[in-house]
Amino acid sequence: MKIYSTKENLQIVYEDNHIIVINKRVGDIVQGDQTGDQPLSEVVKEYIKEKYNKPGEVFLGVVHRLDRPTSGIVVFAKTSKALSRLAQAFKERQTEKTYWAIVKNLPEKPKDTLVHYLKRFPKKNISKAYDKEIPESKKASLSYEVKQSMERYHLLEVDLHTGRHHQIRVQLSAIGCPIKGDLKYGFDRSNPDGGIHLHARKLTLIHPVKKEKMTFVAPTPEDILWNLVNIK
């Protein structure tokens, strides 16, 4: 059963006067799109408005996004100053992002760095991976390590070096390791909640105002498979 985030059940990882860090649920959309579904950004605004009894419009800046079927860490800015500084930090790759992915098939190497050239096809909302650069492609790089193996599935920890469209999904699929539930990139069936087993586990950044290095960790969703592989 799908459970979307509301102002009552919001999973807050960290909050101060400048930023709020949320553990996004599977199915939450970070920012409004053509579906018309209420985005997580609006839910967080409702939460702030109610908690602090704020009159009028609440400011909340979207700094980065996660795919709708993905869960995990999302940072929002509560001031325009925090938004501009965080946006710059993400643009200049001054952040460290670690994901957990549960995949079918064990990679050939227990750890490796993958480099592909990804070309996006907007009409189908997919990206394709190529070994060599082709027109309109962008270089994509990530490192992975196998953290745990079960009978049918394997837990990979993934560190992103670039931020491309569907990057982890398409690069893992390209080495024959599609993410559980990811029909779009080669898994054979969908998950009951429509999500995929990809979780933005950890994010390290420099606080936009305090200038301190901070690391945020998001618990995995309550799910039989995540509970099996979870490394406490």
Side-chain angles (χ1 to χ4, degrees):
M1 189 178 105
K2 282 188 183 180
I3 300 174
Y4 296 109
S5 291
T6 66
K7 67 180 191 292
E8 290 80 22
N9 71 9
L10 209 53
Q11 300 180 100
I12 300 165
V13 176
Y14 174 85
E15 181 184 6
D16 62 21
N17 291 333
H18 313 285
I19 63 174
I20 182 166
V21 183
I22 303 295
N23 186 5
K24 180 183 107 58
R25 288 177 165 87
V26 164
D28 286 342
I29 188 162
V30 174
Q31 198 172 29
D33 69 354
Q34 70 278 3
T35 63
D37 294 343
Q38 186 183 40
L40 188 58
S41 56
E42 289 301 318
V43 174
V44 177
K45 279 185 186 180
E46 286 179 2
Y47 157 81
I48 292 170
K49 189 176 181 71
E50 187 172 289
K51 181 178 179 181
Y52 301 100
N53 197 21
K54 280 186 174 279
E57 190 70 23
V58 171
F59 178 88
L60 192 77
V62 177
V63 178
H64 65 125
R65 296 168 186 80
L66 283 182
D67 294 344
R68 189 165 194 170
T70 304
S71 57
I73 292 277
V74 180
V75 180
F76 294 99
K78 293 170 78 174
T79 66
S80 56
K81 181 196 283 186
L83 176 61
S84 62
R85 289 178 179 175
L86 284 172
Q88 191 72 14
F90 273 82
K91 185 180 178 184
E92 293 177 0
R93 314 299 303 168
Q94 294 168 5
T95 58
E96 297 167 31
K97 301 176 190 174
T98 300
Y99 289 74
W100 280 1
I102 295 178
V103 301
K104 184 173 76 169
N105 305 329
L106 185 65
E108 284 185 18
K109 299 177 182 176
K111 58 165 71 175
D112 199 8
T113 296
L114 305 180
V115 177
H116 293 96
Y117 293 87
L118 304 192
K119 182 173 179 177
R120 189 171 179 177
F121 296 86
K123 283 186 179 177
K124 293 183 178 178
N125 191 31
I126 62 167
S127 288
K128 290 187 179 178
Y130 299 88
D131 292 331
K132 294 179 180 176
E133 191 171 5
I134 65 164
E136 297 175 38
S137 66
K138 292 181 177 178
K139 188 177 182 180
S141 173
L142 62 78
S143 299
Y144 74 80
E145 182 177 357
V146 178
K147 300 299 279 187
Q148 198 171 334
S149 284
M150 295 170 290
E151 191 178 331
R152 294 171 61 193
Y153 300 110
H154 310 277
L155 174 67
L156 308 187
E157 186 166 274
V158 178
D159 290 316
L160 269 183
H161 309 149
T162 53
R164 307 300 182 204
H165 178 253
H166 293 175
Q167 181 180 334
I168 297 174
R169 299 165 66 181
V170 68
Q171 284 197 275
L172 292 183
S173 177
I175 62 164
C177 301
I179 295 170
K180 186 179 181 300
D182 199 356
L183 282 174
K184 187 170 277 191
Y185 292 104
F187 200 80
D188 48 14
R189 63 186 182 280
S190 58
N191 289 339
D193 62 1
I196 62 175
H197 277 76
L198 178 62
H199 181 69
R201 174 65 173 172
K202 188 165 69 173
L203 175 67
T204 299
L205 52 75
I206 304 297
H207 190 284
V209 178
K210 298 176 184 176
K211 302 299 182 186
E212 299 168 0
K213 190 173 186 178
M214 303 184 80
T215 296
F216 307 108
V217 178
T220 52
E222 275 300 317
D223 160 290
I224 292 171
L225 201 50
W226 280 124
N227 292 346
L228 277 175
V229 301
N230 230 330
I231 302 166
K232 303 297 182 189

